[in-house]
């Protein structure tokens, strides 16, 4: 559930992060509606527009770029030639905006189940939804599971930009989903999915990595800093079908000049390498 009291929004989720909450000061609620069993809410706060789905913050204009860039460029740069990319979810358009920046990407297919999130994001988050305008992007409104069942050995990279693992989104974190992605990938393909924070989700992260390892030659966890997410950061589970690939070392690197030209504010080749460095207790729990 979520609550706005005395001008403050509080993210109250005892299932996902029990015993704690995150709050932002609300200037004005811009729009609220229920579609596809989800309640969408857009409001302005101190750091710009914010999107909330079912009481959980999805993005704020203050820090969305760190998440969008990392969930996109980590897997793209793990692949030596990511020509064809599939995005599952990502209805705000932020991931599409970043994926099309990569100079080797030629074709982007995106499957989003909720058309209203797309339309509302175009209206209220145009700096993110601009990703849908790129001619490389083909958007399909539908179920990602059904879409991949009909596309075999087709993609170089699959990026899953999902909400947290509650309700219908929980299926996107299960082993069966990684098997489905494996079948939709070309040889050497890469997957990247939202993976939660180790401060509250460590057992869930390990279970997700193990499910990924059952179908991918390599699987690892990387993270980024996002102040408006629980505990201030969020991670990604990345898998590769290539047993010889080194996920921690980008297969495609960019100079500082290239990074600036691509308008990347968070991702760099050095940040890529550091994203896989986790505290010792996390390393032991996940990998040993």
């Amino acid at each position: 559930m979520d609550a706005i009291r005395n001008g403050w929004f509080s993210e109250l989720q005892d299932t996902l992060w029990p015993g704690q909450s995150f709050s932002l000061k609300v200037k004005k609620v811009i729009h609220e509606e229920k579609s596809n069993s989800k309640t969408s809410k857009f409001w302005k706060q101190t750091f710009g527009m914010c999107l909330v789905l079912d009481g959980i913050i999805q993005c704020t204009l203050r820090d969305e770029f760190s998440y969008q860039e990392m969930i996109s460029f980590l897997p793209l740069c793990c692949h030596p030639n990511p020509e064809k990319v599939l995005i599952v979810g990502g209805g705000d358009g932020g991931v599409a905006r970043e994926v099309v920046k990569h100079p080797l990407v030629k074709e982007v297919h995106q499957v989003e189940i909720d058309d209203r999130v797309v339309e509302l994001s175009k209206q209220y988050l145009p700096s993110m939804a601009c990703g849908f305008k790129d001619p490389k992007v083909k958007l399909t409104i539908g179920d990602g599971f059904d879409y991949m069942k009909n596309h075999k050995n087709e993609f170089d990279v699959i990026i899953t930009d999902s909400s947290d693992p509650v309700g219908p989104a929980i299926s996107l974190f299960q082993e069966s989903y990684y098997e489905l992605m494996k079948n939709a990938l070309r040889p050497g393909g890469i997957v990247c999915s939202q993976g939660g924070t180790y401060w509250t989700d460590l057992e869930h992260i390990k279970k997700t990595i193990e499910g990924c390892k059952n179908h991918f030659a390599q699987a690892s966890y990387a993270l980024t800093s996002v102040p408006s997410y629980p505990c201030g950061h969020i991670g990604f589970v990345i898998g590769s079908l290539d047993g010889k690939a080194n996920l921690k070392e980008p297969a495609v690197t960019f100079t500082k000049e290239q990074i600036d030209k691509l308008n990347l504010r968070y991702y760099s080749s050095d940040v890529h390498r550091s994203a896989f460095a986790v505290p010792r207790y996390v390393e032991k729990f996940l990998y040993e």
Side-chain angles (χ1 to χ4, degrees), residues 101-144:
K101 292 179 181 179
H102 195 290
L104 296 178
V105 170
K106 296 180 179 179
E107 193 175 341
V108 181
H109 293 259
Q110 181 164 354
V111 186
E112 164 61 44
I113 198 165
D114 193 338
D115 61 328
R116 286 299 292 162
V117 172
V118 173
E119 294 307 313
L120 291 171
S121 295
K122 289 178 180 179
Q123 184 175 356
Y124 298 115
L125 297 170
S127 64
M128 297 176 65
C130 62
F132 296 124
K133 296 180 180 180
D134 194 283
K136 295 179 184 178
V137 178
K138 181 181 179 181
L139 176 64
T140 299
I141 301 300
D143 184 271

Side-chain angles (χ1 to χ4, degrees), residues 65-76:
F65 65 92
S66 63
Y67 175 84
Q68 315 295 347
E69 290 183 18
M70 292 294 276
I71 198 174
S72 302
F73 273 81
L74 282 172
L76 290 175

Side-chain angles (χ1 to χ4, degrees), residues 76-246:
L76 290 175
C77 291
C78 283
H79 197 290
N81 190 26
E83 293 186 345
K84 190 171 184 179
V85 179
L86 173 63
I87 302 169
V88 179
D92 53 41
V95 174
R97 180 193 67 194
E98 298 305 322
V99 169
V100 297
K101 292 179 181 179
H102 195 290
L104 296 178
V105 170
K106 296 180 179 179
E107 193 175 341
V108 181
H109 293 259
Q110 181 164 354
V111 186
E112 164 61 44
I113 198 165
D114 193 338
D115 61 328
R116 286 299 292 162
V117 172
V118 173
E119 294 307 313
L120 291 171
S121 295
K122 289 178 180 179
Q123 184 175 356
Y124 298 115
L125 297 170
S127 64
M128 297 176 65
C130 62
F132 296 124
K133 296 180 180 180
D134 194 283
K136 295 179 184 178
V137 178
K138 181 181 179 181
L139 176 64
T140 299
I141 301 300
D143 184 271
F145 273 78
D146 293 337
Y147 185 91
M148 278 189 281
K149 289 176 182 177
N150 296 314
H151 293 78
K152 306 292 186 181
N153 304 312
E154 190 168 329
F155 303 101
D156 298 306
V157 174
I158 299 176
I159 299 170
T160 304
D161 179 18
S162 69
S163 54
D164 292 290
V166 291
I170 196 169
S171 60
L172 302 178
F173 295 82
Q174 296 174 346
E175 180 184 337
S176 58
Y177 183 64
Y178 282 92
E179 181 179 17
L180 192 63
M181 289 193 289
K182 177 187 69 176
N183 294 334
L185 285 169
R186 294 168 174 167
I190 300 284
V191 294
C192 181
S193 300
Q194 192 260 96
T197 168
Y198 56 70
W199 289 111
T200 60
D201 301 331
L202 194 52
E203 290 188 4
H204 172 74
I205 294 168
K206 184 172 183 177
K207 183 179 179 180
T208 305
I209 289 176
E210 289 175 347
C212 182
K213 283 183 177 179
N214 287 336
H215 299 284
F216 287 80
Q218 296 189 56
S220 192
Y221 176 80
L223 64 152
T224 189
S225 173
V226 188
S228 59
Y229 286 168
C231 304
H233 76 248
I234 198 165
F236 312 102
V237 173
I238 303 175
S240 174
L241 291 174
D242 183 356
K244 297 181 180 179
N246 181 1

